[in-house]
Amino acid sequence: MKKNYPFKVYLCLIFIVSLFLKSHAQSAGDIAFIAFNADGDDDFAIVALTELAANSTIYITDNESDGAGGITSGEGTLTWFTGTTSIKAGTVVVFTDVDNGTNPNFGVSIGLLSETGGFRIPASKEGILAFVGTDDSSPTSFIAAIQIGNDPSNLGPFDGDEITLTNTGLVIGTSIIVVDSSASPDGAVYNASRASQTSYNNYYTLLIDDDSNWTNVVNGDGETLIPFSSEAFTVHTTIWTGTTSNVWNISGNWSNGIPTSSSLATVPDETTSPIINSGTEAVVGNITIDTGENLTINSDNSMSVSGLLTINGSLEMNSGSSLLVLGTSTGNITYNRTLGTTNWYMVSSPVTGQGIVDFYTNESPALGDGVGDAQNIGIAPYDNSQALVTDRWNYYTQGQVDGEGGDDTTDTFISGTGYAVRLQASENISFTGTIPNNPVSTTLSVGSGDAFNLIGNPYPSFIPANDLADGLDNNEDLLSVNTAYLSEETIWFWDQSANAGTGGYQEMNQANSGRYIAPGQGFFVSANTTATFTITNNMQSHQSDLFQRNTTSTVPSIHLIMTDGTATKDADIFYIDETTTGWDNGYDSSIFGGIANEFAIYTWAVADGNGRNLGIQSLPDSNYENMIIPVGVNAVSGTTITIDAATNNFPEAINIYLEDKQDNSFTLLGVDANFSTVLENNLSGIGRFYLHTTSNTLSTNDLEISNNVSIYASSRKNLHIVGVQKGTTKLQLYNILGKEILKTSFEGNSLNTIELPNLSNGLYIAKISSLAGTISRKIIIQ
């Protein structure tokens, strides 16, 4: 949900204006077309000949120029959002399967792509224009074009010089590429040098504009040219020497200075191998690591490759480091992930191809139940088809991995899938394999056991879990992209450090924005159908290491904490403008349901919560005194429980009280106060405890029925009444015309369920009365 404040609206307007200006900063010749395929599903590629500003929007159309500074209509236009970081000069961007926006492979290698109309590159003469403008039909500046075949009319009218596209500023030789002007090619690709010039303009005028430097397919299959190379164009070459030290970013260690995004860098087999350290973000256009050489990226350091990464030697990444390849990579990397204890961790492989047997041999996972070849080892995916919770961890066994039984598994860690891993001793675990160059999709399932799916970050870089709150709502976080397939917009992380080392699950949703998932981290989501969960390579970025860490929210919040002296459980309440007292998907989160939760604390929604046990509840940032929050506790008889509260950015004038209806008491929670009791009976659910936020001092005199009762329809057949702890209570139900349609009574039992007659959809009024008072609530049957 978005938060609307006058000042923020003002800032948003400033941002939109700045974004508009950035999107119009490009001019003729800033990009050039370097490939196209007119067969199959249509593809093309461009190269940036100058740096493209972050958050730019560029339109690409097969409509023609109208000769008056606009474009014709009737065909199609692609809208390309370039992404939240700038695109360096020399970077190649590939557009894939652009003939149909619903094609599963429709997209772009950097940024986001959408389509209006029917964009096509027919296997005959065609022209394509790129421009910036106020929208996809209103150009303000044309920046590039490609004429395919020998009919220039497919671009629009030319001036009398036959090289200048009228009133566009585009000119053959500087901003219009003409491919095979004597025929109708099915595809073509630039095939000359990308590392021989000292300026990007020279590439255009000396090489790209020369038709002899293109491979053309005429009367053939343009698909044979796919995939297009993503090798970056570079204007600077430098070679690692290691003369001074092993530090990457020292000029004396390179033959021609430290690599930049415009560089072709080579790391040959030298005595001193390079290390990227000291908080460095290394950048390079293309890089090759020769046989026998090793490049190391230390923790909290990163490298960005605009084009090709070629690994003939080795590249080793330490825990918390990050590698982002905008083009393609070949060869293996090794990613080390630190597991600081012998507790369980949820991990995923940041590479493809790491074998289970080799992982077992190299990492020494812990041994579990069973004997001989049937003994379990500490590597397990999650299987939600199993009815029993204890059966859902599908452990690998000794017989599958130790060699004595013949190594009867050839399994590798599946990209995008999470695993539970436990070691015999705390150490690094290592994954060796190739970097995924494409989006990674994982099949979600709703099993007979539950709907939880253990997935993970498939890349050696960070991906956004939720809305980045960066002023640009591009919906490219995991929760937003996949929301249609999730029962709720929630990610559940396993915190191995919780509960004195026994671990615990932590919820994360949109209420605490700006969370990233580190390389090697696994997490749970809950599916609502069999579908595909997608993690795109466009989501990747460099961040600080957040593996197994929480971030601090800036919104007002209450952190409820319950302990029995050994284990600790918690629940969060955030106060966010425009959320409601009911269920807000993405801002309310259930506690993890893949375990028994025998000891837990949670809340229910203030209104119409539908029985969800919430680990995170978001409420409006106002009206604190009129929102009474039901607090649920699961614990066994005889347990001493202590409940406390911590706050963040919470109004100083508001006190937090825990009401215990069994003891008829209010306890002030805070810095020097908490609630403690020995349970006389098992607790499971809500009805005993309520949280009050008020500027007043509460006492037993404030115990009124109106303060802490929720009434809502859990289904068409049942009405839930929560908070009537004891005593005979009368219920009357009226329709919108005031006609009584139900009258009954019940004995208060914290959570009472009343069977409803066969009611029509609509609004009803429920009235309950007891010695404590009378209240009425509106309920909706649907």
Side-chain angles (χ1 to χ4, degrees):
M1 293 185 183
K2 300 296 175 281
K3 302 170 278 294
N4 293 317
Y5 300 101
F7 181 65
K8 290 190 175 182
V9 170
Y10 174 71
L11 291 178
C12 184
L13 290 173
I14 292 176
F15 177 81
I16 292 172
V17 171
S18 65
L19 196 132
F20 178 85
L21 292 175
K22 285 182 180 179
S23 68
H24 292 69
Q26 283 77 47
S27 58
D30 282 355
I31 65 173
F33 290 89
I34 57 169
F36 75 91
N37 160 46
D39 291 328
D41 293 316
D42 294 357
D43 315 87
F44 63 90
I46 63 170
V47 59
L49 297 176
T50 187
E51 183 169 326
L52 304 181
N55 303 320
S56 296
T57 298
I58 294 175
Y59 302 101
I60 301 170
T61 185
D62 61 339
N63 286 304
E64 289 80 46
S65 163
D66 64 5
I71 58 173
T72 61
S73 60
E75 298 184 79
T77 301
L78 302 174
T79 299
W80 175 38
F81 171 71
T82 61
T84 55
T85 58
S86 63
I87 296 176
K88 303 299 183 183
T91 302
V92 171
V93 184
V94 179
F95 297 77
T96 306
D97 292 358
V98 293
D99 65 319
N100 188 345
T102 64
N103 190 312
N105 296 317
F106 173 88
V108 61
S109 61
I110 302 173
L112 301 173
L113 194 67
S114 61
E115 180 188 38
T116 55
F119 184 93
R120 288 282 291 144
I121 309 175
S124 61
K125 303 174 180 67
E126 180 60 291
I128 304 173
L129 295 167
F131 63 89
V132 292
T134 55
D135 56 44
D136 63 3
S137 61
S138 305
T140 56
S141 178
F142 290 88
I143 57 176
I146 181 169
Q147 176 185 320
I148 300 169
N150 58 6
D151 186 356
S153 65
N154 285 294
L155 285 176
F158 276 80
D159 288 346
D161 60 11
E162 297 184 353
I163 62 170
T164 304
L165 194 59
T166 304
N167 288 320
T168 65
L170 300 180
V171 181
I172 293 175
T174 60
S175 51
I176 302 175
I177 297 296
V178 179
V179 178
D180 203 286
S181 59
S182 62
S184 301
D186 296 89
V189 60
Y190 169 78
N191 62 11
S193 172
R194 303 187 184 199
S196 61
Q197 303 301 311
T198 57
S199 75
Y200 293 108
N201 184 61
N202 283 349
Y203 278 111
Y204 196 108
T205 57
L206 300 179
L207 295 175
I208 299 175
D209 188 50
D210 186 343
D211 198 53
S212 67
N213 289 326
W214 289 66
T215 297
N216 300 333
V217 175
V218 180
N219 297 323
D221 186 1
E223 292 272 308
T224 60
L225 301 175
I226 303 296
F228 297 136
S229 172
S230 56
E231 177 185 356
F233 287 67
T234 58
V235 294
H236 171 256
T237 299
T238 189
I239 300 171
W240 172 262
T241 62
T243 302
T244 303
S245 66
N246 61 6
V247 178
W248 171 279
N249 59 328
I250 291 180
S251 181
N253 286 325
W254 296 89
S255 66
N256 194 19
I258 302 167
T260 69
S261 60
S262 300
S263 297
L264 169 62
T266 302
V267 183
D269 185 8
E270 296 287 351
T271 302
T272 303
S273 298
I275 298 176
I276 299 173
N277 54 15
S278 304
T280 299
E281 179 185 351
V283 293
V284 66
N286 306 302
I287 182 171
T288 298
I289 304 171
D290 284 349
T291 302
E293 185 56 281
N294 177 70
L295 169 63
T296 300
I297 307 176
N298 275 347
S299 299
D300 297 321
N301 292 267
S302 61
M303 182 168 73
S304 295
V305 182
S306 299
L308 302 185
L309 168 62
T310 304
I311 308 170
N312 298 317
S314 60
L315 193 161
E316 185 165 3
M317 302 180 65
N318 289 323
S319 191
S321 63
S322 182
L323 173 62
L324 180 56
V325 181
L326 296 180
T328 56
S329 65
T330 56
N332 288 339
I333 71 166
T334 295
Y335 198 101
N336 302 313
R337 182 80 254 181
T338 300
L339 303 189
T341 72
T342 55
N343 299 330
W344 285 103
Y345 289 79
M346 303 301 166
V347 305
S348 67
S349 177
V351 300
T352 58
Q354 172 64 61
I356 297 292
V357 170
D358 288 340
F359 186 87
Y360 168 82
T361 302
N362 296 331
E363 311 302 339
S364 300
L367 303 179
D369 296 336
V371 294
D373 287 347
Q375 186 173 24
N376 293 333
I377 64 171
I379 308 173
Y382 189 80
D383 181 3
N384 65 17
S385 68
Q386 300 300 314
L388 296 178
V389 172
T390 53
D391 293 339
R392 292 176 196 159
W393 292 107
N394 188 15
Y395 298 96
Y396 282 92
T397 64
Q398 284 276 34
Q400 292 177 291
V401 298
D402 65 3
E404 297 176 8
D407 293 345
D408 65 358
T409 181
T410 58
D411 290 356
T412 60
F413 284 89
I414 300 172
S415 189
T417 296
Y419 296 78
V421 169
R422 185 179 184 182
L423 302 182
Q424 296 182 30
S426 59
E427 60 183 11
N428 285 343
I429 57 173
S430 296
F431 298 92
T432 298
T434 59
I435 302 172
N437 290 317
N438 298 303
V440 175
S441 297
T442 302
T443 300
L444 299 179
S445 64
V446 178
S448 56
D450 61 38
F452 291 102
N453 292 257
L454 180 56
I455 55 184
N457 182 355
Y459 299 112
S461 54
F462 292 79
I463 53 176
N466 56 9
D467 188 353
L468 306 185
D470 57 1
L472 184 72
D473 187 9
N474 57 23
N475 293 322
E476 267 299 284
D477 60 88
L478 288 178
L479 289 176
S480 298
V481 166
N482 295 286
T483 184
Y485 318 121
L486 303 178
S487 63
E488 58 182 88
E489 280 191 35
T490 300
I491 287 174
W492 290 272
F493 293 96
W494 172 256
D495 182 359
Q496 59 81 29
S497 66
N499 299 322
T502 60
Y505 289 95
Q506 300 292 327
E507 310 83 17
M508 191 283 302
N509 62 23
Q510 303 287 15
N512 193 354
S513 61
R515 281 294 304 272
Y516 287 84
I517 298 174
Q521 185 161 4
F523 54 92
F524 276 99
V525 295
S526 177
N528 60 21
T529 186
T530 299
T532 299
F533 189 95
T534 301
I535 306 175
T536 67
N537 46 349
N538 290 331
M539 293 180 180
Q540 299 178 79
S541 66
H542 301 310
Q543 305 294 330
S544 298
D545 190 10
L546 297 178
F547 189 70
Q548 304 286 24
R549 297 185 193 174
N550 291 321
T551 57
T552 300
S553 173
T554 58
V555 303
S557 63
I558 299 173
H559 184 59
L560 281 180
I561 307 159
M562 182 178 74
T563 181
D564 63 1
T566 301
T568 300
K569 296 295 182 179
D570 57 12
D572 288 305
I573 303 158
F574 293 99
Y575 293 85
I576 303 173
D577 190 26
E578 289 196 359
T579 58
T580 71
T581 56
W583 168 255
D584 297 308
N585 188 31
Y587 290 83
D588 295 327
S589 290
S590 305
I591 63 174
F592 184 67
I595 56 176
N597 287 310
E598 296 174 348
F599 183 70
I601 187 170
Y602 44 87
T603 67
W604 271 26
V606 170
D608 303 327
N610 295 323
R612 295 177 187 256
N613 298 336
L614 302 178
I616 298 176
Q617 180 171 180
S618 295
L619 294 169
D621 187 17
S622 60
N623 201 27
Y624 286 82
E625 309 219 11
N626 293 319
M627 293 185 291
I628 313 301
I629 304 168
V631 176
V633 169
N634 295 351
V636 299
S637 174
T639 302
T640 299
I641 63 169
T642 299
I643 299 176
D644 203 349
T647 61
N648 181 55
N649 294 321
F650 201 71
E652 293 183 2
I654 301 294
N655 298 315
I656 301 170
Y657 286 90
L658 184 71
E659 177 190 356
D660 182 355
K661 293 187 69 69
Q662 179 170 303
D663 295 340
N664 289 331
S665 67
F666 286 98
T667 301
L668 178 66
L669 303 181
V671 177
D672 299 315
N674 57 48
F675 170 86
S676 186
T677 189
V678 179
L679 299 179
E680 298 176 356
N681 302 292
N682 293 341
L683 283 184
S684 180
I686 65 168
R688 176 170 175 176
F689 299 110
Y690 292 85
L691 201 69
H692 298 251
T693 51
T694 177
S695 58
N696 299 321
T697 300
L698 298 184
S699 67
T700 54
N701 295 328
D702 297 292
L703 290 167
E704 299 177 359
I705 191 172
S706 61
N707 276 345
N708 43 41
V709 172
S710 294
I711 307 172
Y712 61 90
S714 60
S715 68
R716 292 184 59 85
K717 297 182 178 180
N718 293 308
L719 188 71
H720 276 178
I721 301 173
V722 180
V724 179
Q725 184 74 18
K726 55 188 176 182
T728 301
T729 303
K730 295 179 181 180
L731 167 68
Q732 295 167 281
L733 190 66
Y734 301 89
N735 64 19
I736 195 65
L737 299 176
K739 180 181 178 181
E740 183 180 85
I741 57 176
L742 175 66
K743 183 177 182 180
T744 187
S745 62
F746 59 90
E747 289 297 316
N749 185 28
S750 299
L751 173 60
N752 292 88
T753 301
I754 307 299
E755 186 174 347
L756 295 173
N758 186 22
L759 300 177
S760 301
N761 291 348
L763 179 67
Y764 295 83
I765 305 298
K767 178 181 178 181
I768 63 172
S769 304
S770 73
L771 293 177
T774 299
I775 65 166
S776 296
R777 293 281 192 270
K778 295 178 182 179
I779 64 169
I780 297 175
I781 302 296
Q782 59 185 6

